[in-house]
Structures are given as structure tokens and as C-alpha cells.
Amino acid sequence: MYGTKRYQAALIILCFCLASIPAPAMASRQTVPVSGAAQARATFKFTQVDLDLLEQVKLLDKRFEKEGLVYNDDALNSYLDRVGKSVVPPDTHLEHVEWRFRMLRDPVPNAFALPNGTVYINMGLLALLENEAQLASILAHEAVHVLNRHSYLQNRSNRKKVLAINIIQAVGFWMPGGGAAGMTINLIASVAPLILEASMFGYSRDLEREADLEGLKLLARASYSTPEMVNAFKVLKKDIEGERLKLFYSDHPQLDDRIAYINAMIHTKGSASAPENVADKTGAEYVSTIERAARHDVLLAINNGRSRTAFYISK
């Protein structure tokens, strides 16, 4: 299948080296018990396993930068930083966390948070969102993963529970092609494999639900319109390329479930709700703010054979 014996040998070595990767999304996920936000932050204590993961994450940040995957634009960096930090609870000080909100040159609609506080959003997702409140919804969700130490909890639960064959399945399943869209996943696999499933495919359903519902509260606290979280997920249901990628932000059945329970919380008496949408940008203002990144995403989409996406974004 892989052509040469040399390649087969290399793949076998890779499998054994990465044998601690959590199983890909298509396998049954391990459920990590949900803990309340306050409890998670107050009781979490770092172990050597956690510190090892943290070192991998720091290296991954450096590799994203070194490989040119981070899109550096001062104005957009400041914008992402403002929106991201607006949904982080004030006076939140967590050990080994430094909040940074960054954009990746990747046309696939996805976002993920690293446990050291770096939150990445792909250009492909930024270009699909319709306003600032939807962006804040995504960043709030990812911020909860960091706040509640989800990466560490998932890692503790899933390490050493995967067979080498899972790596082969994942490599062939992540992306139909290479290019920029594949580089993000390849880097995570080679540098920080222990967070691969969580960052790209989502955590356990319990932890994702926690991130959604607590993220909704953060959204309201920052004076964003909470129904825009629902609208953001509806945008993500648009399977423009017709490829049904197994990434968390493209997993349609889960998106339907999330839309349902977020809507239920919004309409439940006493649930999280925002005052007048004083912090939001209209669609036109948002598009103007991210215009340079959206143009760059069109080129990325074309170069990666995603012509339908390029046409959709450029309309």
C-alpha cells in the first residue's frame, strides 16, 4: 500500500513512537467525568504526565510559527486578542497558562485550544463566521477547555489506551489531500500526538457539553448575543465541499445535538442571556475587519483544491 519497504519500516517505527496517541474520533471516546469550573480550577494539581504534555505543547507553538502556519497581521492579531480576552473571566490566573489567540493558514473550518492558553482558529473558520459574536462564541468554547484543564484530563484518561493501528487509520482519514490543510494535523501528530484527538476531533461529549454551556455564560458576561453561538454552529453545518471531514467543527450529528441543548439553555428561565448586544460588530463590520485574512483564505482554498469554498467565501 505504501510503495516501498523503507516507507513501511518508517511507518512501523512511527506507530510505536506515537503509541500513546488517543484513539481517533471514529473510535469510541473515553468519557471523562465532568467537573464544575470552580472545582476543576481549585483542585487541579500538575503531575509529571501533565508537565510532559505541556512541554510538547510549547514545542508545537514554536513549530507552528517556524513552519509559517501562523498568520501574523498586527491589526488582526490585536482584534483576535481583544475578542478572545473579553470572554476570559477577569482576574483569572492559572498556573502554566498565558492567553494568546492566533490564526492559522489553514482553509479547513476548525479551531482548537492548547492547554498552555494558546487558542488557534483556522482561516477557513474565521472566513465563514458572520459577525464578532459568532467569533466570540468559538473562542469562549475553546477558552473553557483551557480554564477547566480539559486537555490534561483527557490525556490522563486516554493515554496508553490506543493500538498502533489507530495511527494508520488516522493518517489516512484526517484529510483527503495535503497542502496547508494537512500541515496543521501533521505537525500535531509529529510534535504533540497526545493532544491530537482532543484538539482536532473534540473531547469527550461530557467535556464538550461543559465547554459549550460554560462558554455560553462567558459569552453573556462579555455582553455578546448568546443566540449567536447557535448561529455559529449553524454556519458550521454548511458542508461546502461535500466531504464530511471528521473534525469536531464539521461533525454534523454532534452539531445538531449542540444546537439543541444550547437553544434549550438560552430559552430556559434564568439561563445565560446577554444584555443589549453592545460589544458586537455587525456582519459588514466583521467582514471588513477580517477582509485581508479572508482574501488569503481564498488563495489557500484554491491551492488546496477547495474551489467551492473559495467561491463561497469570495461572493
Side-chain angles (χ1 to χ4, degrees), residues 164-227:
I165 190 65
N166 292 133
I167 301 169
I168 300 174
Q169 291 175 340
V171 168
F173 201 77
W174 284 329
M175 294 297 302
M183 288 178 67
T184 298
I185 294 173
N186 289 336
L187 270 180
I188 295 176
S190 63
V191 178
L194 295 175
I195 65 164
L196 184 62
E197 181 193 9
S199 63
M200 299 305 291
F201 302 126
Y203 297 79
S204 70
R205 286 181 180 268
D206 285 342
L207 294 186
E208 291 297 358
R209 182 183 178 92
E210 181 178 299
D212 282 337
L213 298 183
E214 292 192 13
L216 191 68
K217 296 175 184 177
L218 297 182
L219 197 66
R221 182 180 299 167
S223 297
Y224 285 104
S225 173
T226 51

Side-chain angles (χ1 to χ4, degrees), residues 10 25 54 65 86 111 121 130 146 162 178 187 191 243 245 247 252 260 296 300 315:
L54 182 64
E65 192 78 54
S86 74
I121 183 167
E130 298 169 339
V146 179
V162 66
L187 270 180
V191 178
E243 55 197 354
L245 297 177
L247 297 172
H252 290 230
H296 192 77
L300 283 177
K315 288 191 297 182

Side-chain angles (χ1 to χ4, degrees), residues 2-297:
Y2 295 104
T4 66
K5 293 183 178 179
R6 171 189 267 178
Y7 189 86
Q8 290 174 337
L11 183 60
I12 292 172
I13 293 171
L14 173 66
C15 290
F16 281 103
C17 290
L18 304 184
S20 54
I21 299 180
M26 47 282 196
S28 298
R29 293 179 181 164
Q30 299 294 323
T31 299
V32 181
V34 175
S35 59
Q39 180 184 358
R41 296 166 202 171
T43 63
F44 185 86
K45 303 297 182 183
F46 278 89
T47 66
Q48 188 57 50
V49 168
D50 304 319
L51 294 175
D52 290 343
L53 180 64
L54 182 64
E55 288 305 309
Q56 287 186 317
V57 163
K58 291 178 179 178
L59 180 58
L60 183 60
D61 271 332
K62 294 178 181 178
R63 284 292 299 275
F64 278 141
E65 192 78 54
K66 181 180 178 181
E67 300 294 334
L69 287 176
V70 178
Y71 183 76
N72 285 313
D73 177 284
D74 290 341
L76 279 170
N77 288 345
S78 296
Y79 176 62
L80 281 179
D81 188 69
R82 176 182 66 77
V83 177
K85 289 181 178 177
S86 74
V87 297
V88 174
D91 302 320
T92 298
H93 302 290
L94 294 175
E95 187 178 7
H96 298 304
V97 169
E98 179 183 353
W99 293 102
R100 296 192 302 167
F101 298 86
R102 317 194 76 186
M103 182 165 41
L104 291 177
R105 301 175 189 270
D106 192 325
V108 176
N110 202 41
F112 58 94
L114 301 182
N116 64 343
T118 307
V119 178
Y120 288 103
I121 183 167
N122 289 359
M123 277 185 168
L125 178 52
L126 193 75
L128 282 181
L129 298 176
E130 298 169 339
N131 56 53
E132 185 176 303
Q134 292 180 9
L135 171 62
S137 299
I138 300 297
L139 299 183
H141 171 96
E142 297 301 336
V144 174
H145 286 314
V146 179
L147 290 166
N148 292 4
R149 307 295 197 178
H150 287 172
S151 292
Y152 297 116
L153 297 177
Q154 187 94 351
N155 179 46
R156 290 176 183 181
S157 176
N158 282 358
R159 64 192 300 266
K160 298 181 181 179
K161 294 181 181 179
V162 66
L163 299 176
I165 190 65
N166 292 133
I167 301 169
I168 300 174
Q169 291 175 340
V171 168
F173 201 77
W174 284 329
M175 294 297 302
M183 288 178 67
T184 298
I185 294 173
N186 289 336
L187 270 180
I188 295 176
S190 63
V191 178
L194 295 175
I195 65 164
L196 184 62
E197 181 193 9
S199 63
M200 299 305 291
F201 302 126
Y203 297 79
S204 70
R205 286 181 180 268
D206 285 342
L207 294 186
E208 291 297 358
R209 182 183 178 92
E210 181 178 299
D212 282 337
L213 298 183
E214 292 192 13
L216 191 68
K217 296 175 184 177
L218 297 182
L219 197 66
R221 182 180 299 167
S223 297
Y224 285 104
S225 173
T226 51
E228 288 301 330
M229 178 177 278
V230 173
N231 292 335
F233 291 151
K234 288 180 178 178
V235 168
L236 291 165
K237 286 189 65 176
K238 298 176 180 177
D239 187 13
I240 300 170
E241 296 293 336
E243 55 197 354
R244 301 279 178 163
L245 297 177
K246 292 297 181 180
L247 297 172
F248 180 64
Y249 283 100
S250 302
D251 193 328
H252 290 230
Q254 287 197 18
L255 283 175
D256 288 335
D257 291 343
R258 295 167 75 190
I259 288 171
Y261 64 66
I262 292 169
N263 257 328
M265 183 172 181
I266 290 173
H267 292 98
T268 297
K269 185 177 180 180
S271 67
S273 59
E276 185 178 354
N277 194 11
V278 295
D280 196 13
K281 280 183 179 286
T282 65
E285 290 175 308
Y286 174 78
V287 170
S288 176
T289 302
I290 68 158
E291 182 178 5
R292 283 193 299 275
R295 288 180 178 176
H296 192 77
D297 185 56

Side-chain angles (χ1 to χ4, degrees), residues 301-315:
I302 292 172
N303 290 337
N304 282 271
R306 303 173 67 82
S307 56
R308 295 179 183 176
T309 297
F311 178 75
Y312 182 88
I313 295 171
S314 61
K315 288 191 297 182

